[in-house]
Amino acid sequence: MRRKIGVLVIIILLLNLLSGCWNRRELGELAITIGMGIDKSEDQYVITTQVVIPGAVAATRAGSQKLPVMTYQEKGNTVFEAIRRMTTVSARKLYFPHLRILVIGEELAEEGIGEALDFISRDHHLRTDFYVVVAKDMKAENVLKVLPALEDIPANKLFSSLETSEKAWAPSIAVTLDELISELVSEGIQPHLSGIQIRGDVQEGEKVNNVQQIDPDVDLQYSELAVFKGEKLIGWLNESESKAVNYVLGNVKSTIGEVPCPEEKGKVAIEVIRTRTDLKAKVENGSPKGTIEIKVEGNVGDVQCKKLDLSKTKTIDDLEKKSNKEVKKLIESSIKTVQEEFKVDVFGFGEAIHRSNPDYWKKVKKEWDEKFADMPVEVKADVQIRRIGKIGNSPNEKVKE
């Protein structure tokens, strides 16, 4: 009998542990935040949040003119304070686990992003799989207020567009919060983020009319890479330089490269389908030296040449040799620009030195960027063309002039 009573008491006690809804939050009590922008005004942070209106999303898909999102904006001495202050204007508490995109204003990025990222990386409600970008030549709030085409929810458009661009266009890179913080705290590599800018008038982009046109007057476009030294933005790479950085880092999944036609005007476009990069660094005679070996596989995608016979093995060999030169030239030129203009290691040669020669790294890590600026880098490229497409020679060959 006593044994039965003892078992019953244990069961009752265990039942208390099964009450898993003690901190539940009803959907109707939350403002689901999918986009956030951080700017700085004097000594205060300006936080802009993009919040989904669930009922309006369904209404929009049914043909209603009601906007599916709205933005809240508040100031505070800290990011956390500004977010909590939003409860004075929002009927619901902001809910961040579904955040898709974090936009940092250029002015704040130049001042330093460390303090702003502290709350975002510390708060246990925030996941770390959202992307971080920098608003080029503008404030983050402007980006979050533009209504783009194709997507009902602007922040989803920003997220999907960056993912798509990274897979198909070499200058773009999608960086999550985890990856950004890893580069901020790592020794031997400096952070870099994709930039985003507005094409057109900002105020017009906030109107519903903007998405009711075949050719919207205003749109958002990902641009070049933002280069950081520590937590501070120090400049921007152009499109070619951004492409080269991603080649060196092994981030290029697919893109388009071009080589000139032999003996005539025009270009041959090569669709890059695979890349593999091997970056190494070592110490010779007391000085660092870098080596980059990059292998590229591609297909012929577009031919503007009238005298190019793709049925010949020699023609393919010539295209591969020219492609090798173009890739090598692109990377060498971009490394030189980064070394001379920015003097920061965004490629990760410092990390390679740390692995290959830890004793040397201990001596130079505090002035590594200066060492990197003078470091010789050898680039080796190997481009192989796999396919020429559904047709052989271009129809241009038979077109009468």
Side-chain angles (χ1 to χ4, degrees):
M1 184 67 181
R2 290 180 180 179
R3 186 178 180 181
K4 292 182 179 180
I5 294 174
V7 172
L8 182 61
V9 171
I10 292 174
I11 293 174
I12 293 173
L13 292 174
L14 289 175
L15 288 175
N16 292 328
L17 301 177
L18 299 177
S19 55
C21 296
W22 63 274
N23 64 340
R24 71 185 185 279
R25 295 181 180 181
E26 300 294 340
L27 184 61
E29 300 173 355
L30 301 173
I32 299 175
T33 306
I34 53 170
M36 180 163 66
I38 307 179
D39 294 298
K40 200 78 178 285
S41 177
E42 298 179 350
D43 293 331
Q44 288 192 309
Y45 288 99
V46 181
I47 307 300
T48 306
T49 56
Q50 189 178 106
V51 176
V52 176
I53 307 174
V57 172
T60 301
R61 291 171 181 170
S64 172
Q65 299 298 311
K66 191 174 181 180
L67 295 177
V69 295
M70 67 179 301
T71 60
Y72 293 110
Q73 186 178 88
E74 280 294 338
K75 295 181 180 180
N77 294 321
T78 64
V79 174
F80 201 4
E81 179 183 314
I83 290 174
R84 281 299 177 90
R85 186 166 282 151
M86 287 182 187
T87 59
T88 62
V89 292
S90 171
R92 303 177 181 182
K93 186 176 180 179
L94 272 64
Y95 187 64
F96 287 93
H98 297 288
L99 190 69
R100 304 282 271 171
I101 196 85
L102 172 64
V103 185
I104 299 172
E106 185 174 47
E107 186 177 342
L108 171 60
E110 291 173 343
E111 185 176 326
I113 61 176
E115 289 183 2
L117 293 181
D118 182 86
F119 163 76
I120 296 169
S121 57
R122 188 181 300 277
D123 192 318
H124 66 278
H125 290 126
L126 277 150
R127 299 190 308 191
T128 55
D129 58 352
F130 55 87
Y131 295 141
V132 186
V133 298
V134 179
K136 187 178 182 184
D137 299 326
M138 67 185 67
K139 293 183 178 296
E141 64 176 272
N142 300 133
V143 173
L144 291 178
K145 291 179 180 178
V146 171
L147 294 172
L150 290 181
E151 289 280 356
D152 297 332
I153 301 173
N156 281 346
K157 189 268 185 186
L158 293 175
F159 181 90
S160 301
S161 180
L162 185 54
E163 268 198 341
T164 302
S165 183
E166 182 192 39
K167 293 174 182 177
W169 188 238
S172 300
I173 182 171
V175 179
T176 63
L177 179 65
D178 271 346
E179 293 167 337
L180 173 58
I181 291 176
S182 176
E183 291 188 350
L184 281 169
V185 301
S186 295
E187 296 178 338
I189 188 170
Q190 296 289 356
H192 53 282
L193 295 171
S194 282
I196 189 167
Q197 56 189 6
I198 297 175
R199 296 189 304 175
D201 183 81
V202 175
Q203 294 181 344
E204 291 298 319
E206 299 176 18
K207 300 177 181 178
V208 179
N209 292 340
N210 184 58
V211 295
Q212 294 177 333
Q213 304 177 61
I214 294 178
D215 184 15
D217 295 326
V218 186
D219 206 350
L220 297 166
Q221 180 180 28
Y222 285 106
S223 57
E224 301 90 353
L225 292 183
V227 177
F228 286 75
K229 184 170 185 177
E231 63 168 338
K232 296 183 179 181
L233 172 68
I234 60 172
W236 296 86
L237 300 173
N238 63 30
E239 187 174 83
S240 296
E241 293 159 355
S242 300
K243 177 185 290 189
V245 168
N246 281 328
Y247 264 126
V248 174
L249 293 172
N251 293 329
V252 177
K253 298 177 177 65
S254 180
T255 191
I256 302 298
E258 295 177 345
V259 294
C261 296
E263 302 178 359
E264 59 180 314
K265 293 182 179 180
K267 299 281 186 180
V268 178
I270 307 296
E271 178 196 11
V272 174
I273 57 174
R274 270 180 295 274
T275 65
R276 188 176 66 189
T277 303
D278 186 14
L279 183 149
K280 296 179 181 178
K282 58 184 179 179
V283 180
E284 289 185 354
N285 300 321
S287 299
K289 178 183 178 181
T291 303
I292 297 170
E293 295 182 7
I294 179 169
K295 294 185 178 181
V296 179
E297 295 181 39
N299 301 326
V300 175
D302 189 357
V303 178
Q304 297 178 347
C305 320
K306 293 185 178 180
K307 301 177 182 179
L308 195 68
D309 189 353
L310 293 174
S311 64
K312 295 182 178 179
T313 303
K314 184 180 182 302
T315 302
I316 302 300
D317 291 340
D318 289 341
L319 283 178
E320 290 178 342
K321 290 177 181 178
K322 288 184 178 181
S323 298
N324 287 338
K325 290 180 180 179
E326 292 296 323
V327 172
K328 189 173 185 292
K329 179 181 175 182
L330 170 70
I331 295 175
E332 288 177 338
S333 174
S334 300
I335 291 175
K336 185 177 180 181
T337 298
V338 172
Q339 288 178 318
E340 293 180 353
E341 294 186 14
F342 299 102
K343 294 181 172 59
V344 294
D345 182 4
V346 297
F347 304 101
F349 286 104
E351 287 186 335
I353 287 285
H354 191 185
R355 292 191 298 268
S356 65
N357 198 326
D359 292 334
Y360 176 81
W361 176 251
K362 289 179 181 179
K363 299 175 183 177
V364 303
K365 63 180 181 179
K366 291 184 178 179
E367 63 270 359
W368 170 246
D369 285 328
E370 289 76 10
K371 291 283 186 182
F372 163 74
D374 298 323
M375 184 183 73
V377 179
E378 181 184 7
V379 179
K380 301 176 183 178
D382 179 18
V383 179
Q384 296 182 348
I385 295 176
R386 298 304 187 191
R387 297 179 179 84
I388 62 172
K390 294 193 297 183
I391 61 173
N393 294 333
S394 172
N396 290 330
E397 183 182 357
K398 298 181 180 180
V399 174
K400 295 182 179 179
E401 296 183 358

